[in-house]
PDB file of all heavy atoms in Angstrom:
ATOM      1  N   ASP A 227      10.927  -6.581  -3.536  1.00  0.00           N
ATOM      2  CA  ASP A 227      11.379  -5.191  -3.415  1.00  0.00           C
ATOM      3  C   ASP A 227      12.889  -5.204  -3.197  1.00  0.00           C
ATOM      4  O   ASP A 227      13.362  -5.629  -2.151  1.00  0.00           O
ATOM      5  CB  ASP A 227      10.669  -4.529  -2.223  1.00  0.00           C
ATOM      6  CG  ASP A 227      11.265  -3.167  -1.859  1.00  0.00           C
ATOM      7  OD1 ASP A 227      11.977  -2.570  -2.700  1.00  0.00           O
ATOM      8  OD2 ASP A 227      11.010  -2.705  -0.730  1.00  0.00           O
ATOM      9  N   GLY A 229      15.476  -3.045  -2.296  1.00  0.00           N
ATOM     10  CA  GLY A 229      15.731  -1.711  -1.751  1.00  0.00           C
ATOM     11  C   GLY A 229      17.231  -1.473  -1.660  1.00  0.00           C
ATOM     12  O   GLY A 229      18.033  -2.335  -2.028  1.00  0.00           O
ATOM     13  N   THR A 230      17.601  -0.307  -1.158  1.00  0.00           N
ATOM     14  CA  THR A 230      19.016   0.014  -1.045  1.00  0.00           C
ATOM     15  C   THR A 230      19.685  -0.872  -0.003  1.00  0.00           C
ATOM     16  O   THR A 230      20.779  -1.381  -0.218  1.00  0.00           O
ATOM     17  CB  THR A 230      19.172   1.482  -0.604  1.00  0.00           C
ATOM     18  OG1 THR A 230      18.405   2.269  -1.492  1.00  0.00           O
ATOM     19  CG2 THR A 230      20.608   1.904  -0.653  1.00  0.00           C
ATOM     20  N   LYS A 234      13.248  -7.448   0.196  1.00  0.00           N
ATOM     21  CA  LYS A 234      12.104  -8.009   0.902  1.00  0.00           C
ATOM     22  C   LYS A 234      11.243  -8.781  -0.076  1.00  0.00           C
ATOM     23  O   LYS A 234      11.029  -8.317  -1.203  1.00  0.00           O
ATOM     24  CB  LYS A 234      11.265  -6.907   1.552  1.00  0.00           C
ATOM     25  CG  LYS A 234      11.984  -6.218   2.678  1.00  0.00           C
ATOM     26  CD  LYS A 234      11.729  -4.761   2.599  1.00  0.00           C
ATOM     27  CE  LYS A 234      12.809  -3.960   3.248  1.00  0.00           C
ATOM     28  NZ  LYS A 234      12.830  -2.593   2.775  1.00  0.00           N
ATOM     29  N   ARG A 264      21.276  -1.585  -4.654  1.00  0.00           N
ATOM     30  CA  ARG A 264      20.988  -0.842  -5.858  1.00  0.00           C
ATOM     31  C   ARG A 264      21.552   0.572  -5.733  1.00  0.00           C
ATOM     32  O   ARG A 264      21.873   1.017  -4.634  1.00  0.00           O
ATOM     33  CB  ARG A 264      19.491  -0.793  -6.126  1.00  0.00           C
ATOM     34  CG  ARG A 264      18.776   0.139  -5.194  1.00  0.00           C
ATOM     35  CD  ARG A 264      17.306   0.102  -5.462  1.00  0.00           C
ATOM     36  NE  ARG A 264      16.663   1.240  -4.841  1.00  0.00           N
ATOM     37  CZ  ARG A 264      15.376   1.305  -4.588  1.00  0.00           C
ATOM     38  NH1 ARG A 264      14.592   0.303  -4.887  1.00  0.00           N
ATOM     39  NH2 ARG A 264      14.862   2.366  -4.039  1.00  0.00           N
ATOM     40  N   GLU A 389       7.429   1.516  -7.724  1.00  0.00           N
ATOM     41  CA  GLU A 389       7.160   1.466  -6.279  1.00  0.00           C
ATOM     42  C   GLU A 389       5.940   2.288  -5.875  1.00  0.00           C
ATOM     43  O   GLU A 389       5.130   1.849  -5.060  1.00  0.00           O
ATOM     44  CB  GLU A 389       8.374   1.992  -5.500  1.00  0.00           C
ATOM     45  CG  GLU A 389       9.530   1.032  -5.511  1.00  0.00           C
ATOM     46  CD  GLU A 389      10.723   1.523  -4.701  1.00  0.00           C
ATOM     47  OE1 GLU A 389      10.646   2.615  -4.116  1.00  0.00           O
ATOM     48  OE2 GLU A 389      11.717   0.797  -4.670  1.00  0.00           O
ATOM     49  N   ASP A 409       6.968   7.605   1.397  1.00  0.00           N
ATOM     50  CA  ASP A 409       7.793   6.411   1.627  1.00  0.00           C
ATOM     51  C   ASP A 409       9.204   6.856   1.971  1.00  0.00           C
ATOM     52  O   ASP A 409       9.913   7.397   1.126  1.00  0.00           O
ATOM     53  CB  ASP A 409       7.786   5.548   0.344  1.00  0.00           C
ATOM     54  CG  ASP A 409       8.662   4.297   0.483  1.00  0.00           C
ATOM     55  OD1 ASP A 409       9.198   4.051   1.585  1.00  0.00           O
ATOM     56  OD2 ASP A 409       8.802   3.570  -0.520  1.00  0.00           O
ATOM     57  N   GLY A 411      12.711   5.578   3.010  1.00  0.00           N
ATOM     58  CA  GLY A 411      13.518   4.359   3.093  1.00  0.00           C
ATOM     59  C   GLY A 411      14.865   4.632   3.718  1.00  0.00           C
ATOM     60  O   GLY A 411      14.971   5.366   4.709  1.00  0.00           O
ATOM     61  N   VAL A 554       6.142  -1.969  -0.179  1.00  0.00           N
ATOM     62  CA  VAL A 554       6.464  -2.045  -1.609  1.00  0.00           C
ATOM     63  C   VAL A 554       6.313  -3.487  -2.116  1.00  0.00           C
ATOM     64  O   VAL A 554       5.687  -3.729  -3.154  1.00  0.00           O
ATOM     65  CB  VAL A 554       7.899  -1.511  -1.872  1.00  0.00           C
ATOM     66  CG1 VAL A 554       8.341  -1.820  -3.287  1.00  0.00           C
ATOM     67  CG2 VAL A 554       7.958  -0.017  -1.599  1.00  0.00           C
TER      68      VAL A 554
HETATM   69 MG1   MG B1215      12.300   1.178  -0.339  1.00  0.00          MG
END
Side-chain angles (χ1 to χ4, degrees):
D227 169 18
T230 308
K234 292 139 205 159
R264 74 183 196 199
E389 287 182 1
D409 178 5
V554 169

